[in-house]
Amino acid sequence: MSLLKTIDTNPSFAPRESGSLPERLISGNPAFKTWAQDAARGEMIRTGVWEATPGETRSIKGETFEFCHILSGIVELTPEGGEPVAYKAGDSFVMKPGFVGVWKTIETVRKIYVIVT
């Protein structure tokens, strides 16, 4: 197994498809696709590509740390009690453990993610 992993931003394999949990849905009917590409340390670190169609959901990170790099689309994140922040293609951000807020997909978004639990 190689210790160097390239993240394929346009994977040719089928994604895992899902929707918003009903208790987290705020508006719209967002659909999610996940192309998991690598895991390490007993699945505690996961990487891949994720895509969402427009809609608004509640984001609750719990103990999870997530780094995101936006490949395409536009999202707006509003931390609980904070101001909205927009991210577009080329932007990167981190949602730290304990983050709670609103994830609003304005234009279908595709991102690279690195999740550490």
Side-chain angles (χ1 to χ4, degrees):
M1 173 170 74
S2 175
L3 296 179
L4 178 64
K5 176 68 179 173
T6 299
I7 302 298
D8 183 353
T9 58
N10 289 301
S12 58
F13 61 93
R16 178 177 57 85
E17 298 188 38
S18 61
S20 178
L21 296 172
E23 64 272 18
R24 292 197 182 181
L25 182 62
I26 297 170
S27 68
N29 186 24
F32 309 131
K33 294 180 181 178
T34 304
W35 293 269
Q37 296 189 32
D38 197 41
R41 297 193 178 167
E43 301 281 325
M44 291 182 67
I45 302 170
R46 300 180 311 279
T47 60
V49 173
W50 182 83
E51 186 176 277
T53 59
E56 203 168 353
T57 59
R58 202 148 157 69
S59 180
I60 303 169
K61 287 287 123 190
E63 294 301 311
T64 303
F65 172 101
E66 183 175 357
F67 167 82
C68 302
H69 177 75
I70 304 295
L71 298 168
S72 61
I74 301 171
V75 297
E76 182 182 88
L77 272 66
T78 306
E80 196 168 67
E83 295 296 315
V85 181
Y87 296 101
K88 62 185 181 337
D91 292 340
S92 301
F93 60 93
V94 169
M95 289 180 285
K96 293 184 176 185
F99 175 87
V100 174
V102 173
W103 176 289
K104 181 178 183 181
T105 301
I106 297 168
E107 290 179 8
T108 297
V109 68
R110 182 176 282 213
K111 69 177 184 176
I112 293 173
Y113 66 84
V114 178
I115 296 172
V116 181
T117 54

